[in-house]
Amino acid sequence: MIQKLMSGINFFCLSIGMLAMLLLPLHVTVDVIFREVLGTPILGTIEIASYYYMIAIFALPLAFVQEKDEHLVADVLESIMSKKFVGLTVSVGYLCTVIFVYLLFQQTALGAWTATGNGEHVELVFTNLYTWPSRWIIAIGFGAMFLQALLQIVRDVLQVVNRPKATSGA
């Protein structure tokens, strides 16, 4: 049940990242057309691309990729290890991932909190573009990845705990 909810969150985040991936070249193309045909670019295209589209493309799909076990893995030694040892190394890998991604989440959330409080923005010609929301996009991406990796560890632990014990024949 919890994994199903997390899968929905992961897919939603992935979808937003995919939407950003579609909007980025469209926005840039329209900007180029405006600049070449009308002689005026769209204000803030580079900033919006840098602070919003690229951040969403990078950060939001992280949990989906974690759920599908599609992050880069070095499995060179896996073929010579026992199945039990491979399971142990995968679990240790998840544990390291949880710790590392939690620290990333914590720091990006603190940075987002500070940026929000300061009203972080970049100055455009006639206006300001608030950039603090993009800080939360990164924190959301790392937070979702943290929760997904944590669920994977819980799943692995429950599989070990609930594994039927081998009975010895008399």
Side-chain angles (χ1 to χ4, degrees):
M1 163 110 169
I2 294 174
Q3 182 56 59
K4 193 170 188 173
L5 174 64
M6 194 68 214
S7 292
I9 292 169
N10 295 344
F11 187 76
F12 178 75
C13 288
L14 173 72
S15 299
I16 299 298
M18 290 169 53
L19 180 62
M21 189 177 277
L22 291 172
L23 289 175
L24 173 62
L26 180 65
H27 189 156
V28 171
T29 300
V30 171
D31 179 63
V32 169
I33 291 170
F34 272 46
R35 187 173 51 240
E36 296 300 319
V37 174
L38 302 176
T40 180
I42 298 174
L43 187 65
T45 296
I46 292 172
E47 291 82 0
I48 292 169
S50 300
Y51 286 102
Y52 286 95
Y53 296 139
M54 291 183 191
I55 299 296
I57 291 166
F58 156 73
L60 293 178
L62 288 171
F64 183 84
V65 175
Q66 178 67 33
E67 178 184 359
K68 302 300 179 191
D69 286 326
E70 294 294 331
H71 283 290
L72 294 175
V73 177
D75 57 0
V76 176
L77 299 175
E78 190 173 304
S79 62
I80 62 172
M81 293 189 286
S82 70
K83 199 168 193 166
K84 190 175 185 178
F85 191 70
V86 168
L88 177 65
T89 58
V90 167
S91 296
V92 169
Y94 283 148
L95 181 61
C96 291
T97 298
V98 164
I99 293 167
F100 183 70
V101 174
Y102 174 75
L103 293 172
L104 287 171
F105 164 70
Q106 181 184 38
Q107 290 305 304
T108 56
L110 287 172
W113 185 263
T114 302
T116 302
N118 294 336
E120 184 180 78
H121 63 277
V122 292
E123 294 181 12
L124 303 177
V125 177
F126 300 110
T127 188
N128 293 327
L129 174 68
Y130 288 100
T131 57
W132 61 262
S134 69
R135 302 288 191 130
W136 287 107
I137 294 171
I138 299 170
I140 289 167
F142 284 134
M145 184 178 173
F146 163 72
L147 291 174
Q148 180 58 51
L150 188 62
L151 280 174
Q152 289 170 314
I153 286 178
V154 170
R155 178 199 63 204
D156 288 354
V157 168
L158 289 176
Q159 284 176 350
V160 170
V161 169
N162 294 330
R163 185 176 298 142
K165 303 288 183 212
T167 57
S168 57

